[in-house]
Amino acid sequence: MGDQLKTENRRRKSDGDFDRVAPFYDLLVRLVYGNQLLKAEEVLHAEIRPGDRLLVIGGGSGRGLPALLKRNPREVVYIEASARMFHLAQKRVPDHPAMTWVLGTETSAQGLGIFDHVLTAFFLDVFPPNRLKEVMAVLNDCLSKEGKWLLADFSAHKGGGAWWKKPLIAAMFLFFRITVGLKSNILPEWEVVFREKGFQLKNLVPRLNGLVVSMVWQRAT
């Protein structure tokens, strides 16, 4: 148990300490992007049916939870590594019967059963390539055979405007390297990992000229 806890703590530190930005993170996001990041997450909620079991990981302060819970899922397991973000999310939907709260990393999902959906909103972008594959492998094992992986994230490859996207993305990584100690400095190739694991892209909704994308991935049948 002690070794497992030490490993979990090392993962939290290597992935960035978002406790440092929790008090002002949502305000910063709204100042830079308005409600576009929230909308990118909420458009994915259309895939959720009443009675579904959902894993949400890296959801931060839980801005998307009120809208998500209106879809009447049977259970939402919410995993967040930042203690401050975790408590902000709990305050957003206090005592909701569908919520199961877990303070931890992706390894905390192991042993929690199988889910109809995995939702990652602006989560996979923080990981360097090897760590990304590790995280996605764990989450992949949590998803049912017909389950859908719902993803909202940044992309430098969709739409036009590459000349302004890359400097903006570079500035974001620099900011988070300084503030939270983020190790990565480029957007990871999560689309490649999805396809390697046998997923197909079922739906794509771009925003901000493709800087932000909402995607629905499902295993090929």
Side-chain angles (χ1 to χ4, degrees):
M1 179 65 76
D3 291 341
Q4 183 178 354
L5 183 59
K6 288 179 183 178
T7 301
E8 189 88 350
N9 287 334
R10 281 197 298 270
R11 284 195 179 99
R12 292 180 188 178
K13 290 180 180 178
S14 67
D15 296 340
D17 183 5
F18 282 82
D19 279 352
R20 300 176 187 175
V21 297
F24 60 86
Y25 180 81
D26 287 344
L27 175 61
L28 179 64
V29 168
R30 286 195 297 270
L31 287 174
V32 178
Y33 298 107
N35 285 323
Q36 292 301 309
L37 302 196
L38 180 61
K39 290 179 179 179
E41 178 180 347
E42 290 182 344
V43 73
L44 297 168
H45 297 171
E47 301 291 334
I48 301 169
R49 303 177 301 273
D52 279 349
R53 188 166 189 256
L54 184 71
L55 173 62
V56 178
I57 182 165
S61 68
R63 288 181 69 203
L65 282 176
L68 185 154
L69 290 169
K70 290 179 181 178
R71 306 296 298 184
N72 295 317
R74 172 168 55 93
E75 183 184 19
V76 176
V77 176
Y78 197 86
I79 300 178
E80 171 57 47
S82 163
R84 288 187 176 180
M85 291 287 197
F86 182 81
H87 294 309
L88 289 171
Q90 287 183 313
K91 290 179 181 178
R92 207 177 289 276
V93 286
D95 303 319
H96 196 287
M99 295 299 303
T100 298
W101 300 96
V102 181
L103 179 62
T105 67
E106 80 285 348
T107 58
S108 302
Q110 295 172 322
L112 295 180
I114 299 299
F115 296 86
D116 299 298
H117 307 289
V118 170
L119 172 60
T120 55
F122 306 96
F123 171 66
L124 297 183
D125 55 15
V126 306
F127 299 113
N130 289 340
R131 180 79 176 104
L132 176 73
K133 290 184 177 181
E134 182 181 278
V135 170
M136 292 185 68
V138 173
L139 299 181
N140 179 56
D141 289 342
C142 296
L143 192 61
S144 68
K145 186 176 180 180
E146 285 84 28
K148 296 176 182 177
W149 193 315
L150 313 178
L151 176 141
D153 223 317
F154 293 101
S155 173
H157 309 301
K158 305 298 181 185
W163 66 270
W164 60 266
K165 289 179 190 175
K166 290 183 179 179
L168 178 57
I169 291 169
M172 287 192 297
F173 276 109
L174 177 61
F175 172 80
F176 285 112
R177 176 174 292 187
I178 294 170
T179 55
V180 308
L182 196 67
K183 303 299 182 184
S184 184
N185 59 6
I186 58 171
L187 287 176
E189 298 289 343
W190 33 262
E191 288 192 55
V192 174
V193 181
F194 273 121
R195 298 190 191 282
E196 287 176 350
K197 293 189 173 300
F199 283 82
Q200 291 182 340
L201 181 60
K202 295 296 184 180
N203 194 23
L204 166 66
V205 180
R207 293 179 184 276
L208 299 175
N209 204 19
L211 175 66
V212 173
V213 293
S214 306
M215 292 179 162
V216 178
W217 292 88
Q218 192 169 28
R219 291 189 187 93
T221 55

